[in-house]
Amino acid sequence: MRIRTESKDDIDSVHQLLLRAFGGEDEKILMERLRMDPAINPELSIVAEDNGIVIGHIMFSPATLNDGGTLHQVAALGPLAVLPECQRRGVGGQLIEEGKKRCGAHGYPLVFLFGHKDYYPRFGFVQARAHGFEIRQFRVPDEVFMVAELHRGALESMQGEFHFHSAFEGLG
Ligand SMILES: CC(C)(COP(=O)(O)OP(=O)(O)OC[C@H]1O[C@@H](n2cnc3c(N)ncnc32)[C@H](O)[C@@H]1OP(=O)(O)O)[C@@H](O)C(=O)NCCC(=O)NCCS
C-alpha cells in the first residue's frame, strides 16, 4: 500500500469511495466544493493506493481560529474514508499520521475535526472545548469536537473560536 498526494486522475475514484464509505452524498459534495477553492493545498488531499486502486482518502482544509485579537490559520481534518472491505487494517490511521505530518510542515499549529470520540484519541486528538476552544458555526456535543497539536505547546498556548471553511456549511 502507498500513501501519496491525490492526483487529478484520482478524483472520480475518491468520489466513489466517499459515496461507498459514507452511504450518502454530503462528503462528495464537500470535496467538490473544497476543490473549487484555489487556496486549498493539493498536497493535503491524500490517498491510500493498493494495487492501483484508491482504497482510502483524507482531506485537510484551511480553517481559522479567532482568539479575539488575531485570526490564526489552522487545519481541519475531513472527510476521511476507507473502502468498507479495506477497513480495520490501519489505513485510516496511516492517512491521519501522514496528514498531520504534512499539516505541521505546512505551518499549521493545530488540526481540528468533528469525529468519533473512540477513534481519534489514538491519534493524539483531545476534546477541544476542554482546552479552551469554541465553535459557533455548528452545534455539536463536546465529545465530537476535537483538536490535536502539530507544533509542540500549541494546545497550551492557543485558544479561541474555531471556524471551518465555508464549504462545510449547509450539509446534513
Ligand atoms: C473511520 C474509518 C476511516 C477508519 O478507517 P480504518 O482504516 O478502518 O481505520 P484503522 O484501521 O486505522 O483503525 C481501525 C480501528 O478504528 C475503529 N473504528 C473505525 N471506525 C470507528 C468509529 N466510527 N468509531 C470508533 N472506532 C472506530 C475500529 O473499530 C478499529 O479498532 P481496533 O483497531 O481496535 O479494531 C473507516 O471506518 C471509514 O471510512 N468509515 C466510514 C466513514 C467515516 O465514518 N469516516 C470518519 C468520519 S469521522
Side-chain angles (χ1 to χ4, degrees), residues 21-22 80-82 87-93 115-116 119-120 122:
F22 286 97
L80 163 65
V82 174
Q87 292 176 5
R88 305 192 80 148
R89 292 186 349 207
V91 178
H116 200 284
Y119 183 61
Y120 291 97
R122 64 183 84 181

Side-chain angles (χ1 to χ4, degrees), residues 63-74 158-163:
T64 57
L65 185 71
N66 186 345
D67 69 6
T70 310
L71 207 56
H72 300 275
Q73 304 302 312
V74 294
M158 299 180 79
Q159 56 182 11
E161 183 188 346
F162 171 75
H163 203 276

Side-chain angles (χ1 to χ4, degrees), residues 105-145:
H106 187 68
Y108 290 124
L110 295 167
V111 56
F112 290 81
L113 59 79
F114 287 168
H116 200 284
K117 66 174 177 51
D118 295 330
Y119 183 61
Y120 291 97
R122 64 183 84 181
F123 307 110
F125 286 85
V126 294
Q127 287 192 16
R129 286 196 183 104
H131 285 79
F133 301 102
E134 193 40 86
I135 181 158
R136 295 193 182 83
Q137 190 181 16
F138 303 101
R139 288 168 65 100
V140 283
D142 291 352
E143 63 187 32
V144 166
F145 178 37

